[in-house]
Amino acid sequence: MRYFVFLFLFITTTISAQQLLIKGYVIESITQKPLQSVTVLDVESNKWTITDEKGYFEIKLNDTKQFNLNFHLLGKQEKNITYTKEQVSKPIIVELENDDLRLKEIIVTARKGKDFSEIILGREAINQVQAFSLSDVLEQLPGQATTNFDMNEFKTIAFRTVRPNTISNSAYGNKSFGTAVVVDGIPISNNENMQSYGGNYGANGAGPFSPNLIGFGDPSANDFNGYFSNANFGADLRQISTGNIEKIEVVQGIPSAKYGDLTSGLIKIEQKAGQSPFKIYASLRDGTSEYGFSKGFKISDNFGFLNASLNYTKSNSEPRVSYTKYDRVNTSLMWSWANKNIRNSFSVDYGFNNDNVNYEAEGTDDKIVKNKKKDLSISNRFKINFSESYFDNLDVNFNFSYGEQNTFESKVVNIGGTIVGTSTTEGVYEGSYTSPSYTSIKAVEGIPISSFLSADLHKSISTDSWIHNISYGTSIRMSDNKGRGRLGSPETMDGAFTNGNGGSGQAFRPYNYADNILAEYQFSLYAEDNIVKNWDRSALSIDAGLRYDNQYGYSFLAPRINTSYAQDDFKIRGGFGLTSKAPSLNQVYTGPRYYDAVLGDYRLPGYYNLGIVQTFIDYPNNENLKPSKSLRSEIGFDYKLPFATVNITGFYNNLYDGITSQQLPTTRQVADLQINYNGNQTPTYTITGYSPFYYLQTQLVNKYISKDRGVEFFMNFDKTFIRNISFDFNGIYVQTTNRNDVDSYYRSTNAKTPEKYGLYKPYDENYKSFNLSGNISYHLPKIGMVIAVRSEHFIISDNNYSKDNELYAYLDQNLNKVLIPKEDQNNTALYGHIMKTKSVYDRELQKVYHNFNLRVSKDFLNGFRFSFYANNFLDLKQTEIAFVNGTNEQRIKPDMVKLSFGTKIEYQF
């Protein structure tokens, strides 16, 4: 180890080339007054400085042929400028314009970033969507689509994949859980969320991503109103308001080695920090209203700035009734200060989210569902520049998050004196009877706690015309849950969690998270080198890094590389990397599983009720559950035409070791009883022996595989034949193959046969999708107005699979696996009792369909800004033929966005 440290120090002190001091001024474009506190960043080396009260700055960089400097100040248009060595031989002057609709050029759509395949959404791209949450903004990305507005269920996202029709899909669950959201360098974690009524056992074979276990409502009773709790899924994007977001960068390909605990993609968010005018706004849309304000105060030159924001949102997914509601409150307070060598920001964020469903006036069961979530987050971000040191700068980020989650459901149940088990130990005993009519109450209390600490060092080294920008660092995460867990009593639970039919279901018992959950840790190290080589007409860039993760005790090495070579107006690029995502606490700690077998039910009205129950207990905590992993690769090219820029990227992603459920046939000994009657007295019973009882136990395993391959493209027309008109479009073609790589079991319909279960091989689910999206915007800078029309075109949407077609073995009475000869696998005379009905599913998009959305925004010189939108403003109604209730019928396609209107009013001073 000492040798490597000495070697690094020797290299950094001996091969560093002579440095060049760049000087300059940053001024306001109209008034020509100096701008203070402008951040000046060298994009390649990550070196930075800030301007003083005269707008003056100095930054010392390695002596190379060209420099790429970024100038950023809140409220001004961000600029990236490339300078040659000759241009910086004397002080440079940079002019920044106000970031509003009166700019000569604005970008109102998502654009591919400069370096590799990252996508940038600036402030105007966020404003134009008139978003109520981050979820609305990300609908602009290739492969995503505008959806009917609904804030009454959680919102997650996965990139470069075909999204299935339902989120209760292990492929989508794994991928959305593997989408990382990072705010100013601090990751948002959902690993600690344990808001689920069940222990991930998978009712009827369902996996850990079944919303019926982690959500609310009863689809069979037609009162289902969305999935409120997102345990086992990614961050709930509807909880992230956009009012305080300055810029979003989305990495769908290979992320930097700095970022971990992800498999699908990375969303990096920059928040507003610095002096800004007082802004208030109000938005209205489809039964939803949002109100907010923000202000950036300058305290003093030495004590920096204080940014405060408040956002309140109230939503009802069905405005005609009042029983479904969602309330969100987000508050943020950030103190930031900086000088030429140190930047620091300290922030406190508090959020409150409340889902509430009250059917008391709508149904006979007086159903009430509530899901409340409070979050407190304290973060600090520290950056320091070193002069004449082995390191250029150091970044240290810290975060502590504390949450309170309360889930509650009550309803009147009329199932008439059902027997339930109550024991928390195994054995035979007298069960309890429920009342003929009672109020079923179940609740979950979670207190998720997480912390994050990271430190990153940077050093820029140059040799001749080669530049090495070296970064390395470490991070540690902690996840825990201190809540009381699943609350309730077996006597007052509904039929979904009790069992009165011989022991096939899991019964309910309370489970305390604080007493049973251990804090889990993730530790990481990484090193990365960004290598840049510039020639007169070409440039080479290589980002090569290696990351080490220890996630819950499992170690993983993840090499990652992104590279590009540019020649004049042409660039070719490619990337390869490995990523991993730790399981959630809810997936690791399922708690004991209770199975109550009702052995006898003896009743003599007016005299006695005797229910005899035998309880079995499994202890299936998934402590051997490993992180899921993803191999990610891409290749693409960019070409700049005189009138447009074209970006095409081909990609292949392979998710493996994904988390899914696996059924394990198990046998237990059920007591045989002799009932002793004694007139009108309560009978007694004697155990005379035991008989085998077969059932399927479920555990979570790393056996899910999902592969995505496809092509993604952007085309941005910078100049058109009509002045002030810009046009761009993007699209994506994806093929997705999902495979739950476990056998499935079918219980024999004849208990007397030696074959107890039939075994079926895994099968592939195949998806294809091809979507295009275009945007035409008309910008009038003199009057501060933008009119934009976004079109979406859905050309291919296919899904097919062959399910339960390959019976290849059976389990005998001792649960030994016996292979069935190939010639007998379809022999119904021998194996008809363990054969499922063959199932083939083949669905194709019947017709190409389209959607058109209108956006209008207008800035007024008095500080007002007015925005209007209309989704599906042409009121298109694409139909399809669907097989419903045994017949084919024509209906409006469910994916079509409904005609809807909304508006937003802002005022700043």
Side-chain angles (χ1 to χ4, degrees):
M1 183 66 182
R2 292 180 180 177
Y3 169 76
F4 287 108
V5 172
F6 172 78
L7 179 62
F8 173 78
L9 297 178
F10 175 78
I11 291 175
T12 58
T13 53
T14 57
I15 68 175
S16 294
Q18 182 178 357
Q19 293 192 318
L20 183 66
L21 182 64
I22 300 176
K23 304 177 182 180
Y25 294 88
V26 183
I27 60 176
E28 211 278 335
S29 62
I30 297 178
T31 64
Q32 298 293 294
K33 292 182 178 180
L35 292 174
Q36 186 180 2
S37 302
V38 178
T39 301
V40 183
L41 172 71
D42 177 51
V43 176
E44 306 296 348
S45 67
N46 206 41
K47 293 182 180 179
W48 57 268
T49 187
I50 63 169
T51 59
D52 60 18
E53 67 277 0
K54 297 179 180 179
Y56 178 73
F57 71 89
E58 293 180 353
I59 186 169
K60 188 177 290 187
L61 302 176
N62 290 325
D63 190 357
T64 60
K65 291 184 178 181
Q66 66 180 33
F67 309 88
N68 185 8
L69 299 182
N70 174 273
F71 300 88
H72 178 260
L73 178 66
L74 183 62
K76 301 295 180 181
Q77 184 186 34
E78 184 177 7
K79 276 193 175 181
N80 282 286
I81 305 176
T82 300
Y83 296 96
T84 63
K85 183 177 179 180
E86 292 73 21
Q87 290 174 316
V88 297
S89 60
K90 57 183 179 180
I92 59 177
I93 297 177
V94 180
E95 296 185 1
L96 297 184
E97 299 177 87
N98 288 331
D99 190 10
D100 56 32
L101 295 180
R102 298 176 188 274
L103 288 168
K104 294 179 181 178
E105 181 182 354
I106 63 171
I107 299 175
V108 298
T109 58
R111 294 289 182 95
K112 196 197 78 66
K114 178 184 176 183
D115 296 327
F116 304 109
S117 64
E118 68 277 7
I119 299 173
I120 306 297
L121 295 108
R123 187 63 209 167
E124 278 307 321
I126 299 171
N127 284 337
Q128 276 298 108
V129 181
Q130 300 164 36
F132 283 77
S133 70
L134 180 61
S135 176
D136 300 332
V137 177
L138 299 180
E139 289 180 347
Q140 302 179 70
L141 301 182
Q144 311 301 325
T146 303
T147 57
N148 287 314
F149 184 70
D150 182 9
M151 294 196 72
N152 292 97
E153 62 179 1
F154 71 80
K155 305 289 186 181
T156 55
I157 195 168
F159 300 117
R160 289 181 173 175
T161 188
V162 181
R163 178 166 177 164
N165 293 328
T166 172
I167 64 171
S168 57
N169 176 285
S170 290
Y172 181 77
N174 276 285
K175 292 173 187 176
S176 75
F177 191 52
T179 299
V181 180
V182 177
V183 180
D184 292 337
I186 304 291
I188 296 177
S189 176
N190 197 44
N191 294 352
E192 307 77 29
N193 186 346
M194 299 189 69
Q195 294 304 106
S196 62
Y197 289 139
N200 290 311
Y201 58 89
N204 299 319
F209 305 101
S210 171
N212 293 330
L213 299 180
I214 62 176
F216 300 88
D218 183 4
S220 63
N222 297 318
D223 64 4
F224 190 65
N225 278 273
Y227 312 128
F228 298 160
S229 176
N230 61 318
N232 299 348
F233 285 85
D236 188 352
L237 303 182
R238 68 173 176 158
Q239 297 179 7
I240 303 174
S241 62
T242 61
N244 204 39
I245 294 179
E246 182 73 7
K247 185 172 71 173
I248 301 170
E249 178 181 339
V250 178
V251 180
Q252 301 182 112
I254 297 86
S256 163
K258 175 181 178 179
Y259 299 99
D261 202 34
L262 58 89
T263 51
S264 173
L266 170 66
I267 303 169
K268 295 193 290 183
I269 297 173
E270 291 183 16
Q271 295 188 103
K272 295 178 180 179
Q275 188 171 6
S276 63
F278 191 95
K279 177 187 288 188
I280 57 176
Y281 62 89
S283 298
L284 300 173
R285 179 179 182 181
D286 290 358
T288 298
S289 56
E290 180 182 33
Y291 310 93
F293 83 88
S294 63
K295 169 65 179 173
F297 303 89
K298 182 177 180 179
I299 303 174
S300 69
D301 289 343
N302 293 328
F303 288 94
F305 306 92
L306 186 67
N307 289 81
S309 66
L310 171 66
N311 172 279
Y312 171 67
T313 302
K314 186 179 185 65
S315 181
N316 183 358
S317 63
E318 183 51 73
R320 293 172 297 179
V321 295
S322 60
Y323 54 76
T324 303
K325 296 179 181 179
Y326 170 70
D327 297 288
R328 180 189 73 192
V329 176
N330 287 336
T331 63
S332 177
L333 193 66
M334 179 187 294
W335 172 44
S336 59
W337 60 272
N339 57 37
K340 292 183 179 180
N341 295 316
I342 297 177
R343 293 160 59 190
N344 192 84
S345 65
F346 175 80
S347 60
V348 178
D349 299 275
Y350 174 78
F352 174 80
N353 293 268
N354 180 19
D355 289 289
N356 187 5
V357 179
N358 188 334
Y359 293 95
E360 287 182 300
E362 304 292 333
T364 58
D365 59 359
D366 293 339
K367 187 173 181 180
I368 298 174
V369 180
K370 294 182 180 180
N371 184 53
K372 295 182 178 180
K373 184 173 184 285
K374 300 177 183 178
D375 293 292
L376 175 65
S377 177
I378 300 173
S379 304
N380 194 81
R381 306 159 185 88
F382 174 80
K383 299 178 183 290
I384 182 171
N385 277 330
F386 299 105
S387 58
E388 308 300 332
S389 175
Y390 296 123
F391 313 110
D392 291 334
N393 44 59
L394 166 69
D395 300 343
V396 179
N397 294 331
F398 169 75
N399 170 263
F400 174 78
S401 295
Y402 172 89
E404 293 181 1
Q405 298 174 321
N406 289 279
T407 299
F408 172 86
E409 177 183 308
S410 71
K411 65 180 179 180
V412 175
V413 178
N414 296 284
I415 57 176
T418 299
I419 303 172
V420 295
T422 58
S423 176
T424 55
T425 60
E426 291 194 338
V428 179
Y429 59 97
E430 293 186 20
S432 298
Y433 284 86
T434 65
S435 301
S437 177
Y438 63 94
T439 300
S440 167
I441 297 176
K442 52 188 178 184
V444 185
E445 180 196 271
I447 301 180
I449 298 174
S450 66
S451 60
F452 173 80
L453 175 65
S454 69
D456 305 277
L457 284 164
H458 307 276
K459 178 66 179 177
S460 181
I461 304 169
S462 66
T463 58
D464 298 327
S465 58
W466 289 90
I467 303 172
H468 295 264
N469 300 300
I470 301 171
S471 302
Y472 47 98
T474 183
S475 68
I476 186 169
R477 304 184 189 207
M478 184 276 293
S479 299
D480 201 357
N481 197 307
K482 296 297 185 181
R484 291 186 296 160
R486 296 192 282 270
L487 308 174
S489 171
E491 295 93 337
T492 59
M493 302 299 289
D494 63 24
F497 291 91
T498 58
N499 174 46
N501 60 358
S504 61
Q506 183 186 149
F508 175 82
R509 301 291 190 278
Y511 180 58
N512 189 292
Y513 296 158
D515 294 342
N516 294 281
I517 307 303
L518 299 177
E520 297 288 354
Y521 293 88
Q522 299 186 54
F523 173 76
S524 73
L525 293 167
Y526 82 91
E528 187 171 59
D529 189 4
N530 169 229
I531 305 168
V532 179
K533 169 69 174 177
N534 293 308
W535 293 275
D536 291 335
R537 296 174 54 190
S538 60
L540 173 68
S541 177
I542 302 173
D543 278 4
L546 179 66
R547 180 181 179 88
Y548 166 78
D549 280 297
N550 187 292
Q551 297 171 298
Y552 304 177
Y554 290 95
S555 295
F556 182 64
L557 277 176
R560 300 178 194 172
I561 184 170
N562 282 293
T563 183
S564 67
Y565 175 76
Q567 176 80 40
D568 295 329
D569 294 328
F570 179 81
K571 176 190 283 187
I572 187 170
R573 48 190 166 74
F576 171 86
L578 294 174
T579 59
S580 64
K581 178 72 182 79
S584 69
L585 295 182
N586 196 47
Q587 292 168 336
V588 174
Y589 295 97
T590 61
R593 296 175 184 169
Y594 297 84
Y595 300 86
D596 295 331
V598 177
L599 306 183
D601 183 4
Y602 305 96
R603 310 186 193 192
L604 184 60
Y607 293 97
Y608 61 77
N609 296 310
L610 175 63
I612 305 171
V613 179
Q614 183 173 357
T615 294
F616 307 116
I617 306 175
D618 293 330
Y619 297 90
N621 276 346
N622 303 297
E623 296 172 349
N624 295 322
L625 201 61
K626 301 181 295 184
S628 57
K629 303 175 184 66
S630 180
L631 182 152
R632 312 183 66 78
S633 58
E634 65 178 31
I635 187 169
F637 71 86
D638 309 327
Y639 190 70
K640 187 171 180 56
L641 299 166
F643 56 88
T645 303
V646 180
N647 317 107
I648 297 179
T649 305
F651 59 88
Y652 172 78
N653 301 323
N654 180 16
L655 172 76
Y656 62 100
D657 282 347
I659 296 172
T660 187
S661 60
Q662 174 176 269
Q663 293 180 318
L664 299 175
T666 305
T667 184
R668 292 292 188 93
Q669 297 298 311
V670 175
D672 298 323
L673 302 181
Q674 177 180 314
I675 306 301
N676 306 308
Y677 294 95
N678 185 19
N680 294 334
Q681 301 298 313
T682 302
T684 60
Y685 63 90
T686 304
I687 299 176
T688 60
Y690 291 89
S691 302
F693 169 66
Y694 298 90
Y695 67 98
L696 293 174
Q697 184 188 102
T698 306
Q699 67 176 161
L700 301 187
V701 292
N702 295 99
K703 291 189 177 182
Y704 201 88
I705 302 168
S706 182
K707 299 178 181 180
D708 300 295
R709 58 183 68 84
V711 178
E712 175 186 274
F713 58 90
F714 289 83
M715 191 166 187
N716 305 307
F717 291 84
D718 301 319
K719 299 178 181 179
T720 61
F721 61 90
I722 303 177
R723 187 179 179 183
N724 297 330
I725 290 282
S726 64
F727 173 65
D728 59 79
F729 68 90
N730 62 62
I732 187 169
Y733 173 78
V734 188
Q735 292 182 354
T736 297
T737 301
N738 299 331
R739 184 181 181 87
N740 191 2
D741 205 24
V742 298
D743 289 342
S744 59
Y745 297 85
Y746 181 69
R747 188 167 183 170
S748 173
T749 57
N750 186 348
K752 297 181 179 180
T753 60
E755 300 86 14
K756 297 303 178 184
Y757 290 95
L759 273 68
Y760 289 81
K761 291 183 178 180
Y763 60 92
D764 290 341
E765 290 189 10
N766 303 300
Y767 298 84
K768 291 181 183 178
S769 176
F770 181 33
N771 301 338
L772 292 174
S773 178
N775 192 85
I776 301 176
S777 61
Y778 181 45
H779 177 212
L780 296 170
K782 289 186 178 181
I783 64 172
M785 186 173 184
V786 172
I787 302 173
V789 175
R790 183 179 179 221
S791 65
E792 297 172 306
H793 313 277
F794 305 90
I795 301 169
I796 298 175
S797 180
D798 300 343
N799 175 211
N800 65 80
Y801 58 83
S802 297
K803 179 181 179 182
D804 301 332
N805 290 339
E806 293 189 60
L807 172 68
Y808 77 99
Y810 67 85
L811 297 183
D812 63 16
Q813 300 173 82
N814 297 317
L815 299 182
N816 295 316
K817 183 177 179 179
V818 180
L819 295 177
I820 299 174
K822 187 83 173 173
E823 59 273 17
D824 290 333
Q825 289 179 4
N826 293 313
N827 191 327
T828 56
L830 290 176
Y831 303 113
H833 55 285
I834 55 172
M835 283 187 178
K836 291 184 180 181
T837 302
K838 294 184 178 181
S839 175
V840 177
Y841 184 82
D842 192 1
R843 180 185 63 84
E844 295 184 0
L845 186 63
Q846 298 173 11
K847 302 179 198 175
V848 174
Y849 67 101
H850 316 274
N851 184 36
F852 296 88
N853 306 315
L854 174 67
R855 301 285 189 272
V856 179
S857 297
K858 174 72 174 71
D859 264 340
F860 297 90
L861 293 176
N862 60 3
F864 277 98
R865 175 170 177 159
F866 174 80
S867 301
F868 169 81
Y869 86 92
N871 277 353
N872 189 12
F873 73 98
L874 298 179
D875 197 19
L876 301 177
K877 293 182 173 65
Q878 175 70 59
T879 60
E880 65 178 5
I881 304 298
F883 190 73
V884 181
N885 297 325
T887 60
N888 288 322
E889 64 177 42
Q890 188 176 47
R891 66 179 184 183
I892 296 177
K893 189 170 179 57
D895 296 334
M896 283 294 299
V897 177
K898 299 176 182 178
L899 173 65
S900 61
F901 304 94
T903 186
K904 182 176 183 179
I905 300 175
E906 301 177 44
Y907 178 60
Q908 65 179 31
F909 55 93

